[in-house]
Structure formats: C-alpha cells, structure tokens
C-alpha cells in the first residue's frame, strides 16, 4: 500500500536526479561555451576555412650562354560558382559569356550556355570551365562578360599552378631532369623557392573555393641556376651519338664533354633504345649511374700505375708471342691474330695489346698484387666523384683480400676486366692526364642568381690534387696521341687537327651470351693544348655491323671535336633578310640555337630538317609544335619568312 510518505520520497529522488542532470548539462554548456569555447570555434572555423599552400614559381635553369633549359610556366584552371551570382547578373550576361567561351574553347555557344544553366539549376559552386590555360588566355577569360565582375558577383574562380617546360624538348632531357633527378634535383634547394598560403572556403562536395584574390602569404620564387651545359655542344653530342646508335643498332649509349681546365660539363647525352623499336630517347643517365667494365680504356690506368711505381718504362719490351698468353687455366688473346711479336710498352698501348698488358702487370705485381691495387686506390679509382647529381654509380676495384680474388684477377684487371667504372669516372681520370696529372672535379653549375643579382658563384675549378707525376702524365699524353696518329684510333686522324685518346672494346654480359660488347673511346682535343675531354660509350652494338671501339665509338668523338673546332659558324654571316628567305636546312645544324636567338620573330624554312631538329628549333623560338611523323620535314603550317609570336601554334609533317 502506497503511503503519502513513500510518494514524497520518490518525488525527492526524481527531483534530485533532475537537479543533477540540469547541473551536469549546465556545466557542459559552460565548458563548451566558456572553458573550451575557443577550441570549438577554431574547429568549426577549420571545417569551413582553411589555409592552403601556394607553390612558388620554380627558378629557371639556363645553359652557360643563358639559353633556357627549363622554366616554370603558369597555368590556370578556370571554374564557375553558379550560386554567388545574382539572378539579374546571370540573366544579363550568361549568353554573352557563352559566346566568348565558344570562341576561346571551341564547342558551340549553346553548349556553353546550357552548361552554365545546368550548373545554376543544381547549385554547382565549382563548375570546371577550362583547364591549363596559359597566362594570355587567363587574362582574356577573366575579362569575359560576367567573369569580369569578379569572384563574388561574377562567380569567377581561377586556380593557378605551374608546369615545368623544357624549351630544348628531348635533347638533354635526362640531364636537365625532373623532380629529384638530374640538374633539377641536384640544385632543387636553389630552384624551388618558398611556399605561400591562401585562405579557402569549403563548399559543396568537399571542394574548396578561394575566398580572396589576395594571398595571405606570398610565395617566394626560386633562384635561377646557370649551368655549365652548352646547348650547341649538347646538340652536336646528342645527334652524333644518336646517328651512331641507329647505324649500329645498339642498345644504349652516352657521351660526356668536359672542359679540361675547369671541369665544367659542357654536354652529357644519354640515349636508350625503346624496346621493340629502332627509336631512342633520354631513358636513363647512364654516364652518371651505370658502372661497367671499361675494357681497354683501363689500360691508361694500368700504364699510369706501372710508370708511377717505376716497374717499367715506355721502352720496356714485352713478347706478345703468337698473340696468346696463358695464366693458370685461362688464356688472354690479342685482337690481331699471330700477335705483335716483341713490342715496347708504348707500342703495346698504341696497338692495345692485351697479352703485353697482362704480362706487364702480372710479372711486376704477382708477388705483391696489393701494391698495384693500392696504386689504383691512391689515384682515387675506387671512390665516387661526389657529384651533386644523384645516383652516381659505385666503382669497383678488386682487392687481394676479397673472397673472389683469383690468380687471373690481376692480369685481367690490366686490360679492364673485373673492374667497373662509370663513364664520367673514367673521363675524370683521362681529363686529369690531359691536365698533366692534376685532377679537376666535374661540375654542372656556374652561378645562382636572383633576377639580376648574383647569389652564388662557382667559377673556380675544384682541384683535387694530382693522380700522378707530371712526368708520367706527359708520357701518357704522348702515348694517347700516338693511338690516334698511328694506332687503333688512326681512323679518326686529321692532318690539321690533333686528337689524343684510347679505344676500348669489352665483352659484356658474357656470362649470359657471347657476342655482346661495350665499345668506347675516351680522350681529349686538341692534343697539344687540351681544351675539351670527351668519352663515348656505346653498349651492345650489333656485332654483325661492328663492335670495335675504333669503328663504333671513336667516330662520335671525332664528329664532336670536328664540329667544335673546325666547322665555321654561320651566325655572323647571315643578314636578317637572308634569314627570312633562306632554307635553314642548308645551314650547319649546330648553329640554329644562335640563329633562333637572333631572329625570334621570323619563321624558318625547315623543309628537309630531321624532325627532332625542327622541333628543337621551334620550341627554342617559343612556338608550340605538333609533329606528325619522325623523318625529315616535308610541310609546315606557317610559311618561312612569316612573322611569329610567342606560344603560336605550328604543325609539322615529316616523312
């Protein structure tokens, strides 16, 4: 039986519970609004407004003569906020806007008008109008009817991004690089600049709209980098290598040209074959990253070690016997059947005798092979150069303490088997000999600039000491000159222009299949006063066509030396009138960069030009090119002599 007392007790319990609940709710409200009010306000603000990073304009990358290698071009995506526009403004300007969009972007006026109306109906606040417009197109579109009222009244949204473009096209593409690769990666700290910030508002479907045209924090553009690359030499090296790769149906190859005294890399071309085709492109930076057995070009290192240790002299005689020498269970062969008889060390270098070199090193170091290896180490051959460009390959020089050291390791090392070096590491050694023993570190950068002010200068060569005595270097220089004068490189000899170097022919992947070779030539020119050193390495040429370094690689070296030192430039001989009327296909192709720089407003006649050359010329003039075919140019959409402007489009048709 329920009494008044029990009812009252229940009332007190319920009342107490309600009081506790109200107190708890009050405390929570107080905590949310007062104690943590700012936190929740910030959180709410964050879900509606957010700062976004704005990428700065990346600095320009130039060659040594201030020709553009890479530049950042602003691109714009245009969108439309159909909600922020008033009904009166939309009705008044939508038709005119559609008409202008039709002229700029194609499609019919009705297509664009219906697109705008649909966006209005579904309340689209982020309608894509156009992507990747250039600056001039952006300037034009923001002045179109309705859009010219701005972001609030006109619903105009412009989002800027930057695109990296290479005016030289595919030439030197791998050297210029992208991201963290090549010159772009090596000097990213200078080029990249500092990010800015822009406030955006969250709208429908997780999209963000800029709420102001003014950046809260302006980005700081990157510095400009002036590299050591010379586009004229780069172009010569690229085409000389390409033609030889095509002729010998090789897998890939590389060329590096370095200024002897300064170590400045003037050209570096790396071309690899597209699988299943006969086309080549800048596939990988082989010259920097790919260690390989150098073959007979390593004989210079062996000779340098033997001369420095004074175990031989250039007149020391070796018996090549019948062209075969046996060490343990293996035989060494000379390329000449029957051998060379008794020849001096200098003659052995000249004719590239494997038997003579294997005897030279084995006979003098077999009791203490570590002495030979330590000499190579002292010359720095076991160490990386330490390039700014990422991905340098690790050289390999076997040591007697290695588990795989065998009795034949020493004689085989003498002619470049069992050791590995990258092309650039080999060139650095040869360049030191051209410098009378003084080693200069290769470099790719000359200056860092901010607009017109100098930030950093790298004009001084980086001297890394001597690899050998001047006496030894002079003997080696004499031997290298004789290689071209009357030895294995005599096929590139010129009566009025002396070159020096060494041929190399080395079997590769012999553990997989016989008949695969690496053909090389490395040296410098002119021989009496070295100005440039150069290495050419071509991997896996078709042996049915040719595989010796003298026939595969040396002609590329010759072509580069000839183009740099013998051919006469045409730039100063041609007037503007002649340029407007002349057929540039009759001009030396290595000068078209100079011509294009001088005559930037005139369309050249490219009939007969190789497709890649033609594209490079026009891109250097600032034109946008569409190419059909890959042979010689047979037709161009803009007539020669016609006035041209930056970003103008031209169609090329080739055979």
């Amino acid at each position: 039986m329920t009494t008044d007392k029990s009812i009252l007790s229940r009332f007190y319990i319920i009342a107490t519970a309600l009081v506790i609940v109200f107190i708890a709710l009050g405390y929570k409200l107080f905590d949310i609004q007062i104690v943590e009010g700012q936190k929740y306000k910030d959180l709410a603000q964050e879900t509606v407004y957010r700062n976004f990073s704005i990428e700065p304009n990346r600095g320009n990358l130039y060659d040594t003569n201030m020709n553009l290698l890479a530049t950042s071009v602003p691109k714009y995506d245009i969108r439309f906020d159909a909600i922020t526009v008033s009904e009166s403004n939309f009705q008044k300007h939508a038709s005119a806007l559609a008409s202008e969009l039709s002229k700029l972007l194609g499609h019919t006026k009705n297509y664009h008008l219906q697109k705008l109306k649909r966006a209005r109906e579904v309340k689209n606040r982020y309608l894509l109008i156009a992507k990747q417009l250039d600056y001039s197109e952006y300037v034009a579109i923001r002045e179109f009817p309705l859009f010219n009222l701005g972001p609030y009244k006109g619903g105009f949204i412009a989002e800027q991004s930057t695109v990296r473009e290479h005016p030289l096209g595919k030439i030197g593409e791998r050297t210029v690089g992208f991201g963290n690769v090549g010159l772009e990666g090596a000097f990213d700290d200078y080029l990249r600049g500092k990010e800015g910030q822009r406030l955006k508002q969250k709208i429908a479907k997780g999209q963000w709209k800029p709420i102001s045209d003014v950046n809260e924090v302006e980005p700081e553009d990157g510095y400009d980098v002036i590299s050591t690359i010379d586009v004229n030499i780069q172009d010569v090296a690229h085409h000389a290598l390409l033609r030889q790769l095509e002729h010998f149906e090789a897998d890939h190859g590389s060329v590096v040209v370095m200024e002897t005294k300064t170590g400045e890399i003037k050209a570096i071309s790396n071309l690899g074959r597209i699988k299943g085709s006969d086309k080549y492109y800048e596939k990988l930076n082989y010259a920097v990253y790919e260690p390989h057995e150098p073959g007979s070009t390593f004989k210079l290192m062996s000779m340098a070690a033997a001369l420095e240790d004074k175990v031989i002299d250039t007149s020391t005689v070796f018996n090549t016997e019948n062209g075969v020498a046996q060490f343990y269970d293996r035989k060494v062969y000379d390329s000449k059947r029957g051998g060379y008889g008794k020849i001096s060390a200098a003659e052995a270098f000249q004719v590239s005798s494997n038997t003579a070199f294997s005897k030279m090193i084995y006979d003098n170091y077999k009791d203490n092979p570590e002495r030979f290896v330590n000499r190579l180490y002292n010359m720095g051959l076991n160490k990386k150069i330490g390039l700014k460009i990422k991905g340098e390959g690790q050289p390999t020089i076997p040591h007697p303490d290695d588990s795989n050291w065998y009795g034949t390791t020493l004689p085989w090392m003498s002619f470049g088997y069992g050791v590995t070096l990258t092309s650039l590491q080999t060139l650095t050694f040869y360049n030191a000999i051209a410098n009378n023993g003084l080693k200069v570190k290769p470099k790719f950068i000359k200056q860092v600039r901010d607009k017109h002010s100098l930030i950093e200068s790298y004009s001084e060569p980086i001297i890394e000491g001597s690899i050998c005595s001047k006496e030894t270097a002079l003997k080696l220089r004499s031997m290298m000159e004789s290689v071209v004068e009357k030895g294995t490189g005599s096929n590139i000899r010129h009566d009025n222009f002396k070159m020096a170097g060494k041929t190399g022919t080395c079997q590769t992947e012999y553990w997989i299949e016989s008949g695969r070779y690496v053909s090389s030539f490395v040296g410098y020119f002119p021989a009496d006063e070295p100005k440039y050193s150069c290495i050419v390495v071509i991997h896996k040429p078709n042996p049915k066509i040719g595989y010796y370094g003298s026939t595969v690689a040396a002609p590329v070296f010759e072509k580069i030396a000839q183009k740099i030192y013998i051919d006469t430039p045409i730039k100063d001989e041609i007037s503007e009138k002649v340029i407007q009327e002349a057929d540039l296909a009759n001009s030396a192709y290595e000068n078209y960069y100079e011509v294009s720089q001088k005559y930037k407003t005139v369309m050249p006649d490219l009939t007969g030009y190789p497709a890649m050359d033609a594209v490079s010329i026009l891109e250097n003039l600032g034109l946008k090119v569409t190419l059909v075919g890959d042979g010689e140019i047979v037709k161009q959409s803009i007539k020669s002599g016609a006035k041209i402007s930056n970003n103008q489009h031209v169609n090329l048709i080739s055979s």
Side-chain angles (χ1 to χ4, degrees), residues 197-210:
Q197 287 188 331
R198 171 178 287 171
L199 192 64
K200 293 187 179 183
Q201 179 184 8
K202 189 174 184 180
I203 56 179
K205 298 180 181 179
Q207 298 169 334
W208 293 84
K209 168 188 172 182

Side-chain angles (χ1 to χ4, degrees), residues 575-584 602-605 640-641:
S575 67
E576 183 170 2
K577 181 178 179 181
V578 173
I579 283 290
Q580 292 176 3
E581 299 174 351
D583 178 355
L584 292 187
V602 178
M603 182 67 186
D605 184 353
S640 62

Side-chain angles (χ1 to χ4, degrees), residues 194-376:
K194 294 182 180 180
E195 292 182 344
Q197 287 188 331
R198 171 178 287 171
L199 192 64
K200 293 187 179 183
Q201 179 184 8
K202 189 174 184 180
I203 56 179
K205 298 180 181 179
Q207 298 169 334
W208 293 84
K209 168 188 172 182
I211 63 170
S212 173
D213 289 335
V214 180
N215 297 328
E216 289 193 349
V217 178
E218 291 287 346
E220 295 181 22
D221 292 347
Y223 294 136
D224 293 337
V225 171
I226 294 89
S227 74
T228 61
I229 299 294
D230 185 316
V231 294
N232 296 298
I233 300 176
Q234 179 74 32
D235 181 62
V236 171
H238 172 94
H239 286 89
L241 175 63
L242 177 61
R243 287 172 183 137
Q244 206 74 346
L245 290 171
E246 291 174 337
H247 177 73
F248 286 95
E249 300 174 359
D251 182 75
H252 65 277
S254 61
V255 171
V256 184
V257 181
M258 180 160 63
E259 198 169 68
T260 308
K261 302 299 181 185
T262 66
E264 292 186 1
I265 301 298
K266 294 301 177 184
I268 176 169
S269 182
N270 301 276
L271 295 172
R273 190 173 189 170
I274 299 174
K275 190 174 182 179
S277 78
D278 57 356
K279 306 300 179 186
Y280 295 85
Y281 73 108
E282 287 267 345
K283 193 174 182 180
L284 295 168
N285 201 338
Y286 301 110
V288 170
Y289 102 92
E290 183 181 38
H292 62 274
E293 290 181 314
S296 291
T297 57
F298 196 78
K299 288 173 181 172
L300 184 75
M301 292 73 161
S302 297
M303 182 70 78
L307 290 173
E308 280 293 280
D309 287 339
K310 301 188 184 303
V311 297
I312 64 155
D313 198 353
T314 55
S315 58
T316 303
V317 175
F318 298 92
N319 188 358
T320 67
E321 300 176 25
N322 60 348
V324 181
Q326 184 156 346
F327 298 89
Y328 297 89
D329 58 342
R330 298 180 66 186
K331 292 180 180 180
V332 175
Y333 296 90
D334 278 330
S335 59
K336 180 184 177 182
R337 290 187 177 183
Y340 302 95
K342 293 182 178 180
I343 56 176
S344 68
E347 290 171 324
F349 188 87
Q350 178 182 305
V351 299
S352 198
S353 170
N354 290 339
T355 59
F357 266 83
S358 60
K359 289 184 175 183
M360 177 195 305
I361 300 304
Y362 184 77
D363 292 348
N364 288 291
Y365 292 99
K366 62 183 178 182
D367 296 329
N368 186 11
E370 191 170 3
R371 183 186 181 193
F372 176 67
V373 174
N374 284 342
R375 175 60 68 181
L376 298 179

